Amino acid sequence: MFAAPVFITALSAVVLKETVGWRRWSAVLAGFIGVLVVMRPGSAAFQTASLFPVATAFLYAVMMIRASLSGR
């Protein structure tokens, strides 16, 4: 779920047409690097089931964007 802000930021720029500056992108990127450090990508233990949490984070981001659209 810590990867959700990356998707929310990207979707808000595309779907909601919000302006996302370089400071926000760099903060989101720094947070995503933290997620990668915790996940330790490239280890031999990677399985396709590891993609389910990423899909969950993406669908959570879609839900948040959808909720903000219904409030308009």
Side-chain angles (χ1 to χ4, degrees), residues 7-67:
F7 295 123
I8 291 173
T9 304
L11 287 174
S12 70
V14 173
V15 176
L16 301 177
K17 307 287 191 249
E18 290 190 12
T19 308
V20 182
W22 68 271
R23 290 182 180 137
R24 185 161 307 185
W25 277 117
S26 59
V28 168
L29 182 65
F32 188 67
I33 289 171
V35 169
L36 290 178
V37 167
V38 170
M39 286 179 49
R40 285 180 269 152
S43 66
F46 180 78
Q47 299 173 357
T48 54
S50 301
L51 296 176
F52 286 128
V54 175
T56 301
F58 178 75
L59 292 175
Y60 175 77
V62 169
M63 182 183 70
M64 290 292 110
I65 295 294
R66 182 77 177 153

